Amino acid sequence: MSAQDEVTRKQVAEEIQSSPTGEALNRWEWVERSVWTDRMLQALEHGVKGGRWHSLIDKVYKELNLLSSYEKVRKNKGSAGVDHQSVTGFGNNLAEEIAKLQESLKSGTYTPQSIRRVYIPKAGSNKKRALGIPTVRDRVVQGALLQVIEPIFEEIFASQSYGFRPNRGCKDALRRADELMRSGYWWIVDIDFEKYFDTIDHEKLLKLIKEKISDGGIISLIKKFLGQEILEEMSNWKPERGTPQGAVISPLLSNIYLNPLDHLMTEEGFEMVRYADDAVVLCRSEDEARAAYAVLVKWTEQAGLRLHPEKTKIVNLSNREGLDFLGYHFEVSKKYPSRINRWPRNNARISLRNRLRPLTKRTNGNSMEAIIHRINPILMGWYEFFKQSHRFTFPEADGWVRMRLRSILRKRMKRKGIGNGWDNQRWPNAYFSKQGLFSMAEAHVLNLQSSLR
């Protein structure tokens, strides 16, 4: 990195630190301070003339904004795009690359390159999911664009939307859904938009964006990103619909498109919880659920989207049907009919085992301490997300992990088969505890004790 680049990075940090927000603007502490001044945030809070924002494109190509965006791209790492330029390669010539982007954005000649499409395995499934990989330069520009326009739409997003939003997350959505279920909302419309990211109508999306932004440069830039060519193996094409998964700007665009549905459901008096394109409407009765379903179908048709005919359905928790939502399975307790139990859905369990299997092969030549050191972060991360599950979840998961580890030790004794039977006495649970293996069951007991205090 050149001395000039280092100086510029320091300027970013100094400008951010020297920009006070005031108590009234604390909820905007996440915004890019090289773009969003106190004056702009006050306008955001109180509304701008005509309700639409003008003169924003110059803020996109502002040097400090582009540098801030690059910093996020650098931290996220990621693969190279079709131009084969890595994040490191871009950073090695940072000042020159930023200057090029500034000039092309200012003159309106900036043109995104093709998106490299790859397929990655879906968790707990044999199917694969398409992922678009833009070039580093395009990721930097998309990030800079995001930092300019995201606060404008955050101001109008509904409270029941939790996905890909600042200071909100999956756990917040799960907490709200759980709260409603425990309050008697047992009739649920389980929503599944079929190929949502691939079916977003560009014209309808742009119309929604133009309701808040009238800057032609911003609209033109978004159009260019929506029309980026897709390169897959030896073929390439321009999409007529959809926003590519993997693009920095896609999550915001997807939330903009579903925002009218969020507000419609609230206006109709329904309780919807949405995380990106995963959503449920929680109701107190079958009639209410059917009414919500009818509203959903009508809106989806006019939005040009499709509901999955099998996965979109009305679920009654009191009939033991259960609900899968954001990795969890919710179901009425058989022993205590007034209680809602929850545990990881089958795909989540399969996904955990698939991640651990390559690290716990019987032929693993590393020391047991080294193996445990490698798998502990995976176990801790999985537990942290699913720690609100029913207690029976964790002894089962722990037992499977110890079985894999005993199989390794058994192999080293020249024995065939998996670790079971007498192996449980040869290497009891205490043996693995001494080796430092993280126990979900023990962590769950401690967590319950702490909550009781």
Side-chain angles (χ1 to χ4, degrees):
M1 183 188 306
S2 68
Q4 181 182 354
D5 294 340
E6 184 63 34
V7 169
T8 310
R9 286 192 186 182
K10 288 181 179 178
Q11 287 176 342
V12 176
E14 288 170 2
E15 179 158 330
I16 293 172
Q17 292 173 2
S18 64
S19 302
T21 60
E23 291 183 9
L25 304 177
N26 281 343
R27 77 187 188 100
W28 301 106
E29 49 81 24
W30 54 269
V31 302
E32 174 52 44
R33 296 297 287 160
S34 69
V35 172
W36 285 89
T37 63
D38 288 346
R39 185 176 178 181
M40 287 180 67
L41 289 174
Q42 287 167 359
L44 187 63
E45 288 274 322
H46 299 105
V48 292
K49 187 176 181 180
R52 295 193 297 175
W53 288 76
H54 306 262
S55 303
L56 295 173
I57 190 64
D58 61 311
K59 294 169 178 59
V60 174
Y61 60 72
K62 186 177 182 180
E63 183 181 18
L64 290 175
N65 186 34
L66 288 168
L67 285 167
S68 173
S69 176
Y70 164 72
E71 279 298 302
K72 292 178 180 177
V73 172
R74 184 180 66 84
K75 290 177 181 177
N76 289 335
K77 299 177 181 179
S79 304
V82 295
D83 62 354
H84 305 295
Q85 184 183 45
S86 66
V87 176
T88 302
F90 187 96
N92 287 339
N93 299 290
L94 186 58
E96 181 182 346
E97 295 286 0
I98 295 297
K100 288 180 182 177
L101 290 178
Q102 279 189 290
E103 178 57 34
S104 61
L105 287 166
K106 189 173 183 179
S107 63
T109 59
Y110 172 82
T111 302
Q113 295 175 276
S114 298
I115 293 176
R116 181 166 65 89
R117 174 170 283 190
V118 298
Y119 290 87
I120 59 175
K122 279 189 175 182
S125 170
N126 293 325
K127 297 181 181 179
K128 292 190 175 182
R129 178 170 65 92
L131 180 67
I133 304 176
T135 61
V136 175
R137 65 190 290 274
D138 289 342
R139 299 207 292 269
V140 170
V141 174
Q142 285 192 24
L145 173 62
L146 181 70
Q147 291 177 163
V148 172
I149 70 173
E150 185 175 27
I152 295 172
F153 293 99
E154 268 298 313
E155 177 64 17
I156 64 169
F157 281 163
S159 61
Q160 68 265 38
S161 166
Y162 296 91
F164 306 114
R165 295 185 59 189
N167 301 324
R168 285 169 167 255
C170 192
K171 288 187 177 181
D172 298 308
L174 286 165
R175 191 177 297 114
R176 177 57 178 160
D178 185 66
E179 176 185 310
L180 289 167
M181 286 184 225
R182 292 179 186 280
S183 299
Y185 290 76
W186 285 11
W187 285 90
I188 300 170
V189 183
D190 187 3
I191 303 172
D192 188 285
F193 294 106
E194 191 172 13
K195 297 182 179 179
Y196 171 63
F197 285 89
D198 294 331
T199 55
I200 292 174
D201 185 292
H202 289 176
E203 290 303 316
K204 288 182 171 65
L205 173 61
L206 289 168
K207 184 179 178 180
L208 291 170
I209 294 171
K210 289 176 183 177
E211 290 177 2
K212 300 302 296 181
I213 296 173
S214 61
D215 186 310
I218 295 289
I219 301 302
S220 175
L221 192 56
I222 293 173
K223 281 183 178 179
K224 288 179 178 180
F225 283 127
L226 290 174
Q228 275 181 280
E229 281 192 340
I230 306 294
L231 180 62
E232 182 178 354
E233 295 181 348
M234 300 304 292
S235 62
N236 63 300
W237 72 93
K238 281 192 175 184
E240 296 181 359
R241 299 173 71 90
T243 173
Q245 296 187 56
V248 177
I249 199 72
S250 287
L252 175 63
L253 298 180
S254 70
N255 275 333
I256 291 172
Y257 203 73
L258 289 178
N259 187 50
L261 175 62
D262 295 336
H263 288 287
L264 175 62
M265 285 298 183
T266 298
E267 291 166 8
E268 295 289 337
F270 299 121
E271 292 283 0
M272 186 166 81
V273 178
R274 182 174 68 81
Y275 185 90
D277 59 330
D278 287 324
V280 289
V281 183
L282 300 104
C283 307
R284 290 186 178 275
S285 68
E286 181 178 3
D287 287 344
E288 185 182 349
R290 293 193 180 281
Y293 187 89
V295 171
L296 172 68
V297 169
K298 184 178 179 180
W299 183 89
T300 302
E301 288 176 353
Q302 65 85 26
L305 300 175
R306 297 192 301 268
L307 293 172
H308 195 290
E310 296 175 1
K311 295 180 180 178
T312 301
K313 57 186 182 294
I314 295 176
V315 174
N316 181 4
L317 293 184
S318 63
N319 284 345
R320 311 285 195 264
E321 292 181 60
L323 171 73
D324 287 338
F325 183 53
L326 299 180
Y328 271 88
H329 178 81
F330 296 86
E331 190 175 302
V332 172
S333 170
K334 294 178 181 178
K335 188 174 182 180
Y336 305 103
S338 62
R339 179 185 298 175
I340 302 291
N341 287 333
R342 55 189 181 274
W343 56 82
R345 58 183 298 187
N346 288 336
N347 281 357
R349 299 182 188 190
I350 293 170
S351 178
L352 174 66
R353 294 188 177 191
N354 287 344
R355 290 183 67 190
L356 292 173
R357 277 194 177 92
L359 305 177
T360 56
K361 289 182 178 180
R362 297 176 70 240
T363 55
N364 193 313
N366 295 314
S367 68
M368 184 55 59
E369 186 180 46
I371 295 171
I372 288 173
H373 180 76
R374 183 80 183 276
I375 67 174
N376 266 351
I378 298 174
L379 298 174
M380 291 175 181
W382 196 83
Y383 171 76
E384 181 60 29
F385 187 83
F386 290 109
K387 65 183 179 183
Q388 303 301 328
S389 298
H390 192 282
R391 66 179 184 277
F392 69 65
T393 301
F394 306 111
E396 178 187 27
D398 284 345
W400 185 86
V401 173
R402 287 191 294 263
M403 178 275 293
R404 297 284 295 182
L405 298 179
R406 288 186 180 110
S407 297
I408 295 173
L409 296 171
R410 182 180 176 86
K411 172 73 173 177
R412 292 175 183 178
M413 294 181 66
K414 310 296 184 185
R415 295 174 180 268
K416 297 181 180 180
I418 62 174
N420 57 24
W422 281 105
D423 295 330
N424 294 339
Q425 280 71 50
R426 292 190 186 94
W427 304 288
N429 295 355
Y431 168 82
F432 296 105
S433 295
K434 289 181 180 178
Q435 296 288 322
L437 179 65
F438 176 75
S439 169
M440 298 188 202
E442 291 178 9
H444 189 245
V445 170
L446 292 174
N447 188 57
L448 289 177
Q449 291 174 349
S450 177
S451 63
L452 288 174
R453 296 194 195 101

